[in-house]
């Protein structure tokens, strides 16, 4: 049993050891398995109900790639591979009993098919036409008409210019030291030049039935920008499709004989969608970065990109959503819990997390002790819902989903705010409202005109009143050029005695003002002032002159009035400026 | 029980009936064990995965067992809890060769022990560490370690290494169970 992993309970999606959704069935940090999700497959290879794990192991640097088959935590068989594996899939070849699935492993230019874990068939990609010039050169060297250094020179010329790339044989020759050339030429000169491409990706496609146990075709993506569909029994090429770029990931739904939809994420950063009978891509989804994984969840294509984000697309290329990831995506795969009808996408990140997303909602976070490079979910051994993970350091983790575990969305921040769903109590549309709305719609122009007329009238009246105020010096700011003055009055106190302070300021730049008088105009029945008329001193420009005077309220009936302040010039009748002071109601009535 | 029943019990003519639940993961050998405990003429030849549950009866020296042989498949495991009330003893079968699913067995056992119908009852539990004949089977001591059986403090339990196909270890377990049930009754 595995040791407790350092989980921490930080959110609803994360879970501690105690209430985790997963049981730690096995953890071997030294399992020495180095692979990617495309090279993992789970299948009942012997037909005994015990599902095995097939691993196309890339091997650590020096070791040879291997095909491993695991039963439970143990390696059952192991066999060396001639080249690095590109993909491993299991599929049913035929209808006859026993219906055990065959294993297909794509490696280099070949697909190795195993039945019952015994080699059954080897399919090689059809050779591509070689460059005639290249063939000609080798023919000449065969007849000893040119020596190896000349051959090298000529081949290098072809490599640089020609559209058709060189064969592997010529490329190997060009890598050699001059001393080794002679031997190589004599060994290989009689061979016919063959140019072969390699398989980049492989997937399966049901032949003519949609059931679980239906016969499937192999679909290969090659380095020569082609997609090949193979016959499940005869391994002949059924159809060939061309792509504008080299496919890196494939996803296919449908049946070959009926209708199918093939999505290929390519190395040019685009996803091409093809259907049956279309030799060219039907739709193209342009990503802004390189794809690192392609998974179909229900009808949505989920793509992970090198920009650390997950994108959802419809098969017609409409972008549905984008979710940012906290770290770089290393691998992706589908999580399908059949008993609950759940499909989600698992994403292995470089920070050691494995996140489970349904659409853009985060369902679960698994913390692995190391960065996870491959993921596979399905039936393993006798347990449905098993998650197999391998890590960067070659470790193998097996987790089993608890029977009672239910994935719930983390909720909260993802959805709309709760206020949005609150229903406002909008009043009913009354008859009046409807009539008004109709009237507004019909006579909008007339209403606008009336409004404009009134607005202009209002502006005119305001302007007139302003002019009048200026003419009669009713404003607290003097407008005359000779005596620029500003007046500002403050009333203090609660009553019946108030203190009235006038602040006078000469706003001219340099000229002082002399000979000004102040006059208060008020109702003598209500107020009494010690001096209603007095002379002002010389006003120096810029300074603020406070002039204080006491006002005594005479009325005890709680009435107030306006006191007018007039600033006059000696010998002139019209005031320079005036201010109206609204006196407050005396609040000291009760005490008097 | 009527007077006649009591009398017949005392005389050993009619044996006391006990209800036993037989639980465990799928493919652990529950049905095979129960089949082996039945009299030789009533045994069936081929065992198929149980759907839902079967009710089987067999007798030991002093008791008459009615066994609810539950299906262990994941989708039927939620049926188990409906029979906890009636059970007077539990037989829990473990596939000793299935290292990977030992955690699943442990999880199911914990769920069983924490169920309100079981938690506060002193109900005897018999564990069969089955499939001892297989090469990669672990010992019964290892099984009890893996399932943390030492944590069960309030219930009598016993673990038996067994090989249900040959019938080895089964009688030992049933004898223990019989003693426990009689100890509880008296």
């Amino acid at each position: 049993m595995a040791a407790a992993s350092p989980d921490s309970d930080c959110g609803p999606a994360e879970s501690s050891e105690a209430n985790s959704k997963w049981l730690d069935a096995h953890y071997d940090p030294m399992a020495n398995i180095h692979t990617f999700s495309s090279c993992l497959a789970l299948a009942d290879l012997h037909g005994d109900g015990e599902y095995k794990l097939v691993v196309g192991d890339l091997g650590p640097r020096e070791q040879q790639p291997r095909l491993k088959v695991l039963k439970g935590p143990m390696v059952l068989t192991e066999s060396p591979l001639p080249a690095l594996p590109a993909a491993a899939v299991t599929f049913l070849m035929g209808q006859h009993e026993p219906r055990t699935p065959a294993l297909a492993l794509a490696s280099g230019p070949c697909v190795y098919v195993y039945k019952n874990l015994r080699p059954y068939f080897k399919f090689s990609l059809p050779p591509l036409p070689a460059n005639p010039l290249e063939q000609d050169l080798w023919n000449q060297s065969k007849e000893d008409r040119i020596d190896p250094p000349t051959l090298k020179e000529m081949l290098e010329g072809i490599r640089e210019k020609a559209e058709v790339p060189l064969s592997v044989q010529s490329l190997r020759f060009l890598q050699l030291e001059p001393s080794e050339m002679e031997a190589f030429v004599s060994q290989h000169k009689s061979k016919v030049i063959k140019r072969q491409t390699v398989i980049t990706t492989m997937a399966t496609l049901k032949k003519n039935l949609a059931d679980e146990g239906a016969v499937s075709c192999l679909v290969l993506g090659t380095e020569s920008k082609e997609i090949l569909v193979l016959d499940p029994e005869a391994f002949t090429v059924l159809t060939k499709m061309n792509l504008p770029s080299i496919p890196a990931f494939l996803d296919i739904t449908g049946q070959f004989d009926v209708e199918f939809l093939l999505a290929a994420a390519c190395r040019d950063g685009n996803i091409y969608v093809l259907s049956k009978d279309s030799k060219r891509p039907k739709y193209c989804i342009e990503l802004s970065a390189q794809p690192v994984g392609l998974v179909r969840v229900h009808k949505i294509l989920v793509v992970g990109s090198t920009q650390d984000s997950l994108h959802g697309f419809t098969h017609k290329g409409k972008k549905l959503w984008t979710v940012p990831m906290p770290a770089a995506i290393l691998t992706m795969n589908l999580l399908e819990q059949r008993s609950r009808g759940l499909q989600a996408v698992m994403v292995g990140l470089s920070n050691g997390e494995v996140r489970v997303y349904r659409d853009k909602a985060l369902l679960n976070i698994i913390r692995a002790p190391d960065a996870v490079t491959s993921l596979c979910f399905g039936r393993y051994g006798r347990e449905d819902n098993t998650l197999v993970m391998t890590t960067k350091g070659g470790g193998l983790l097996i987790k089993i989903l608890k029977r009672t575990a239910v994935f719930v969305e983390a909720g909260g921040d993802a959805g709309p705010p709760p206020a949005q769903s609150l229903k406002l109590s909008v009043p009913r549309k009354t008859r009046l409202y409807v009539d008004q709305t109709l009237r507004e719609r019909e006579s909008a122009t007339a209403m606008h005109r009336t409004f404009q007329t009134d607005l202009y009238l209002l502006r005119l009246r305001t302007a007139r009143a302003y002019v009048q105020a200026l003419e009669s010096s009713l404003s607290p700011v003097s407008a005359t050029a000779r005596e620029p003055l500003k007046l500002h009055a403050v009333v203090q106190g609660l009553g019946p005695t108030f203190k009235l302070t006038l602040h006078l300021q000469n706003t001219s730049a340099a000229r002082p003002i002399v000979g000004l008088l102040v006059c208060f105009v008020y109702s003598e029945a209500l107020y009494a002032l010690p001096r209603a008329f007095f002379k002002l001193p010389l006003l120096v420009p810029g300074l603020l002159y406070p002039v204080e005077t006491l006002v005594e309220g005479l009325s005890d009936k709680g009435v107030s009035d306006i006191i007018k302040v007039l600033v006059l010039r000696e010998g002139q009748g019209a005031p320079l400026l005036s201010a109206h002071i609204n006196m407050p109601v005396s609040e000291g009535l009760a005490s008097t | 029980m009527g007077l006649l029943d009591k009398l017949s019990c005392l005389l050993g003519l009619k044996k006391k009936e006990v209800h036993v639940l037989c639980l465990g993961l799928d493919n652990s050998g529950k049905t095979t064990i129960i089949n082996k405990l039945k009299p030789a003429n009533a045994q069936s030849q081929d065992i198929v995965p149980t759907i839902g549950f079967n009710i089987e009866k067999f007798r030991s020296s002093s008791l008459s067992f009615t066994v609810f042989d539950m299906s262990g498949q994941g989708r039927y495991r939620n049926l188990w809890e409906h029979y906890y009330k009636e059970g007077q003893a539990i037989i829990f079968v473990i596939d000793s060769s299935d290292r990977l699913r030992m955690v699943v067995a442990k999880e199911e056992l914990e769920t069983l022990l924490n169920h309100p119908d079981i938690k506060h009852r002193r109900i005897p539990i018999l564990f069969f560490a089955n499939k001892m004949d297989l090469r990669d089977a672990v010992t019964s001591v290892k099984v009890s370690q893996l399932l943390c059986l030492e944590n069960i403090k309030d219930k009598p339990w016993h673990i038996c290494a067994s090989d249900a196909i040959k019938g080895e270890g089964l009688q030992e377990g049933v004898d223990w169970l019989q003693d426990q049930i009689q100890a509880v009754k008296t």
Side-chain angles (χ1 to χ4, degrees), chain A residues 1 24 382-383 402-403, chain B residues 27 78 101 103 107-108:
Chain A
M1 226 154 295
D24 293 315
R382 298 193 146 264
E383 191 67 26
K402 283 187 190 170
R403 181 168 62 89
Chain B
N27 197 41
N78 52 358
R101 291 209 303 164
V103 271
E107 173 75 12
E108 294 297 348

